[in-house]
PDB file of all heavy atoms in Angstrom:
ATOM      1  N   ILE A   3     140.057 -23.693  46.798  1.00  0.00           N
ATOM      2  CA  ILE A   3     140.566 -22.340  46.654  1.00  0.00           C
ATOM      3  C   ILE A   3     141.374 -22.017  47.911  1.00  0.00           C
ATOM      4  O   ILE A   3     141.369 -22.770  48.900  1.00  0.00           O
ATOM      5  CB  ILE A   3     139.428 -21.329  46.457  1.00  0.00           C
ATOM      6  CG1 ILE A   3     138.429 -21.371  47.659  1.00  0.00           C
ATOM      7  CG2 ILE A   3     138.708 -21.593  45.166  1.00  0.00           C
ATOM      8  CD1 ILE A   3     137.348 -20.340  47.579  1.00  0.00           C
ATOM      9  N   PHE A  37     142.560   4.564  53.625  1.00  0.00           N
ATOM     10  CA  PHE A  37     141.213   5.045  53.381  1.00  0.00           C
ATOM     11  C   PHE A  37     140.262   3.860  53.344  1.00  0.00           C
ATOM     12  O   PHE A  37     140.628   2.804  52.859  1.00  0.00           O
ATOM     13  CB  PHE A  37     141.135   5.826  52.056  1.00  0.00           C
ATOM     14  CG  PHE A  37     141.945   7.089  52.030  1.00  0.00           C
ATOM     15  CD1 PHE A  37     143.261   7.088  51.604  1.00  0.00           C
ATOM     16  CD2 PHE A  37     141.384   8.298  52.500  1.00  0.00           C
ATOM     17  CE1 PHE A  37     144.004   8.269  51.563  1.00  0.00           C
ATOM     18  CE2 PHE A  37     142.147   9.444  52.479  1.00  0.00           C
ATOM     19  CZ  PHE A  37     143.451   9.441  52.026  1.00  0.00           C
ATOM     20  N   GLN A  52     151.501  36.171  58.103  1.00  0.00           N
ATOM     21  CA  GLN A  52     151.130  37.556  57.929  1.00  0.00           C
ATOM     22  C   GLN A  52     151.429  38.345  59.179  1.00  0.00           C
ATOM     23  O   GLN A  52     151.179  37.898  60.279  1.00  0.00           O
ATOM     24  CB  GLN A  52     149.642  37.681  57.563  1.00  0.00           C
ATOM     25  CG  GLN A  52     149.246  36.869  56.329  1.00  0.00           C
ATOM     26  CD  GLN A  52     147.785  37.018  56.036  1.00  0.00           C
ATOM     27  OE1 GLN A  52     147.201  38.082  56.152  1.00  0.00           O
ATOM     28  NE2 GLN A  52     147.164  35.895  55.668  1.00  0.00           N
ATOM     29  N   LYS A  74     140.106  17.956  48.133  1.00  0.00           N
ATOM     30  CA  LYS A  74     140.296  17.273  46.882  1.00  0.00           C
ATOM     31  C   LYS A  74     140.020  15.785  47.087  1.00  0.00           C
ATOM     32  O   LYS A  74     140.095  15.252  48.170  1.00  0.00           O
ATOM     33  CB  LYS A  74     141.722  17.465  46.356  1.00  0.00           C
ATOM     34  CG  LYS A  74     142.056  18.943  46.066  1.00  0.00           C
ATOM     35  CD  LYS A  74     143.423  19.080  45.447  1.00  0.00           C
ATOM     36  CE  LYS A  74     143.702  20.532  45.097  1.00  0.00           C
ATOM     37  NZ  LYS A  74     145.032  20.708  44.417  1.00  0.00           N
ATOM     38  N   ALA A  76     140.113  11.762  44.836  1.00  0.00           N
ATOM     39  CA  ALA A  76     140.535  10.999  43.649  1.00  0.00           C
ATOM     40  C   ALA A  76     140.242   9.536  43.920  1.00  0.00           C
ATOM     41  O   ALA A  76     140.305   9.082  45.056  1.00  0.00           O
ATOM     42  CB  ALA A  76     142.006  11.210  43.332  1.00  0.00           C
ATOM     43  N   GLY A  88     151.842 -23.756  39.074  1.00  0.00           N
ATOM     44  CA  GLY A  88     152.454 -24.769  38.224  1.00  0.00           C
ATOM     45  C   GLY A  88     151.700 -26.093  38.338  1.00  0.00           C
ATOM     46  O   GLY A  88     150.795 -26.267  39.167  1.00  0.00           O
ATOM     47  N   ARG A  94     148.742 -30.676  43.983  1.00  0.00           N
ATOM     48  CA  ARG A  94     148.601 -30.665  45.437  1.00  0.00           C
ATOM     49  C   ARG A  94     147.244 -30.128  45.857  1.00  0.00           C
ATOM     50  O   ARG A  94     146.632 -30.599  46.798  1.00  0.00           O
ATOM     51  CB  ARG A  94     149.705 -29.801  46.064  1.00  0.00           C
ATOM     52  CG  ARG A  94     151.081 -30.459  45.902  1.00  0.00           C
ATOM     53  CD  ARG A  94     152.114 -29.911  46.869  1.00  0.00           C
ATOM     54  NE  ARG A  94     152.354 -28.494  46.756  1.00  0.00           N
ATOM     55  CZ  ARG A  94     153.270 -27.829  47.435  1.00  0.00           C
ATOM     56  NH1 ARG A  94     154.007 -28.479  48.312  1.00  0.00           N
ATOM     57  NH2 ARG A  94     153.455 -26.529  47.248  1.00  0.00           N
ATOM     58  N   LEU A  95     146.733 -29.102  45.149  1.00  0.00           N
ATOM     59  CA  LEU A  95     145.401 -28.612  45.431  1.00  0.00           C
ATOM     60  C   LEU A  95     144.339 -29.694  45.171  1.00  0.00           C
ATOM     61  O   LEU A  95     143.397 -29.843  45.945  1.00  0.00           O
ATOM     62  CB  LEU A  95     145.107 -27.396  44.560  1.00  0.00           C
ATOM     63  CG  LEU A  95     145.642 -26.019  45.071  1.00  0.00           C
ATOM     64  CD1 LEU A  95     145.392 -24.945  44.067  1.00  0.00           C
ATOM     65  CD2 LEU A  95     145.002 -25.685  46.410  1.00  0.00           C
ATOM     66  N   VAL A 112     150.651 -20.288  49.888  1.00  0.00           N
ATOM     67  CA  VAL A 112     149.711 -19.149  49.888  1.00  0.00           C
ATOM     68  C   VAL A 112     150.357 -17.935  50.607  1.00  0.00           C
ATOM     69  O   VAL A 112     150.328 -16.808  50.087  1.00  0.00           O
ATOM     70  CB  VAL A 112     148.397 -19.525  50.549  1.00  0.00           C
ATOM     71  CG1 VAL A 112     147.504 -18.309  50.733  1.00  0.00           C
ATOM     72  CG2 VAL A 112     147.672 -20.567  49.708  1.00  0.00           C
ATOM     73  N   ALA A 127     154.759   1.388  44.909  1.00  0.00           N
ATOM     74  CA  ALA A 127     154.426   2.631  45.596  1.00  0.00           C
ATOM     75  C   ALA A 127     155.688   3.473  45.830  1.00  0.00           C
ATOM     76  O   ALA A 127     155.639   4.712  45.760  1.00  0.00           O
ATOM     77  CB  ALA A 127     153.739   2.321  46.917  1.00  0.00           C
ATOM     78  N   LEU A 140     152.731  12.893  39.404  1.00  0.00           N
ATOM     79  CA  LEU A 140     152.634  11.425  39.372  1.00  0.00           C
ATOM     80  C   LEU A 140     152.175  10.982  37.996  1.00  0.00           C
ATOM     81  O   LEU A 140     151.136  11.413  37.515  1.00  0.00           O
ATOM     82  CB  LEU A 140     151.654  10.959  40.434  1.00  0.00           C
ATOM     83  CG  LEU A 140     151.346   9.448  40.460  1.00  0.00           C
ATOM     84  CD1 LEU A 140     152.604   8.638  40.733  1.00  0.00           C
ATOM     85  CD2 LEU A 140     150.242   9.125  41.453  1.00  0.00           C
ATOM     86  N   ASP A 160     161.305  24.864  43.301  1.00  0.00           N
ATOM     87  CA  ASP A 160     161.916  23.825  42.471  1.00  0.00           C
ATOM     88  C   ASP A 160     163.281  24.244  42.043  1.00  0.00           C
ATOM     89  O   ASP A 160     163.570  24.440  40.871  1.00  0.00           O
ATOM     90  CB  ASP A 160     161.005  23.539  41.271  1.00  0.00           C
ATOM     91  CG  ASP A 160     161.462  22.295  40.496  1.00  0.00           C
ATOM     92  OD1 ASP A 160     162.210  21.493  41.067  1.00  0.00           O
ATOM     93  OD2 ASP A 160     161.085  22.162  39.317  1.00  0.00           O
ATOM     94  N   ALA A 185     163.915  28.063  50.318  1.00  0.00           N
ATOM     95  CA  ALA A 185     162.964  27.546  51.300  1.00  0.00           C
ATOM     96  C   ALA A 185     162.840  28.504  52.485  1.00  0.00           C
ATOM     97  O   ALA A 185     162.340  28.120  53.531  1.00  0.00           O
ATOM     98  CB  ALA A 185     163.383  26.189  51.793  1.00  0.00           C
ATOM     99  N   GLU A 186     163.277  29.761  52.313  1.00  0.00           N
ATOM    100  CA  GLU A 186     163.311  30.731  53.427  1.00  0.00           C
ATOM    101  C   GLU A 186     161.938  30.907  54.041  1.00  0.00           C
ATOM    102  O   GLU A 186     161.810  31.063  55.269  1.00  0.00           O
ATOM    103  CB  GLU A 186     163.833  32.050  52.940  1.00  0.00           C
ATOM    104  CG  GLU A 186     163.970  33.105  54.032  1.00  0.00           C
ATOM    105  CD  GLU A 186     164.552  34.393  53.541  1.00  0.00           C
ATOM    106  OE1 GLU A 186     164.858  34.497  52.317  1.00  0.00           O
ATOM    107  OE2 GLU A 186     164.741  35.311  54.347  1.00  0.00           O
ATOM    108  N   ALA A 205     181.712  13.173  49.609  1.00  0.00           N
ATOM    109  CA  ALA A 205     182.969  12.846  50.321  1.00  0.00           C
ATOM    110  C   ALA A 205     184.186  13.232  49.526  1.00  0.00           C
ATOM    111  O   ALA A 205     185.230  13.571  50.103  1.00  0.00           O
ATOM    112  CB  ALA A 205     182.961  11.360  50.653  1.00  0.00           C
ATOM    113  N   LEU A 224     186.157  12.785  52.997  1.00  0.00           N
ATOM    114  CA  LEU A 224     185.306  12.843  54.192  1.00  0.00           C
ATOM    115  C   LEU A 224     184.651  11.505  54.449  1.00  0.00           C
ATOM    116  O   LEU A 224     184.426  10.729  53.529  1.00  0.00           O
ATOM    117  CB  LEU A 224     184.199  13.893  53.987  1.00  0.00           C
ATOM    118  CG  LEU A 224     184.675  15.327  53.707  1.00  0.00           C
ATOM    119  CD1 LEU A 224     183.492  16.239  53.435  1.00  0.00           C
ATOM    120  CD2 LEU A 224     185.506  15.853  54.874  1.00  0.00           C
ATOM    121  N   SER A 225     184.345  11.242  55.696  1.00  0.00           N
ATOM    122  CA  SER A 225     183.606  10.037  56.054  1.00  0.00           C
ATOM    123  C   SER A 225     182.117  10.354  56.032  1.00  0.00           C
ATOM    124  O   SER A 225     181.717  11.510  55.941  1.00  0.00           O
ATOM    125  CB  SER A 225     184.012   9.569  57.477  1.00  0.00           C
ATOM    126  OG  SER A 225     183.587  10.542  58.434  1.00  0.00           O
ATOM    127  N   GLY A 231     177.440  15.159  59.750  1.00  0.00           N
ATOM    128  CA  GLY A 231     177.642  16.127  60.825  1.00  0.00           C
ATOM    129  C   GLY A 231     177.399  17.535  60.395  1.00  0.00           C
ATOM    130  O   GLY A 231     177.173  18.405  61.213  1.00  0.00           O
TER     131      GLY A 231
END
Side-chain angles (χ1 to χ4, degrees):
I3 59 176
F37 295 92
Q52 303 179 41
K74 298 185 178 183
R94 292 200 299 185
L95 278 175
V112 172
L140 174 62
D160 188 19
E186 182 177 2
L224 301 176
S225 66

